[in-house]
Amino acid sequence: MARQEGTGLARRQQPERPARPEHPGEEPAHSTVTVEQGRFCLARCSCGWRGPARRARSLARTDAEAHARET
């Protein structure tokens, strides 16, 4: 993937799981994505949660996985 610098636009990765309930009447599952902002990467969730800005994508993914386990 080519690296874009100076655009100021966040690139989003597709969530692994759709944010829809598995059974009718059930709360939607948390759907997380990682977003790049400049030199930083952070995790976001469909519930509104945002992880801290990280320089390593792997740490942002770990933050997202930890958030999904907590809920």
Side-chain angles (χ1 to χ4, degrees):
M1 179 184 268
R3 184 175 179 188
Q4 297 177 353
E5 293 188 60
T7 62
L9 300 174
R11 289 183 283 165
R12 295 178 183 253
Q13 294 179 355
Q14 295 296 323
E16 294 180 9
R17 185 184 320 204
R20 59 187 139 136
E22 294 179 14
H23 303 289
E26 189 177 291
E27 289 291 319
H30 288 262
S31 177
T32 58
V33 295
T34 56
V35 181
E36 292 184 9
Q37 294 180 336
R39 293 182 176 161
F40 295 92
C41 185
L42 59 124
R44 291 187 182 170
C45 183
S46 60
C47 72
W49 172 86
R50 290 182 184 188
R54 306 285 194 170
R55 287 193 182 249
R57 288 184 197 103
S58 60
L59 290 176
R61 284 188 217 111
T62 301
D63 292 339
E65 291 169 1
H67 168 72
R69 281 192 302 268
E70 291 172 1
T71 56

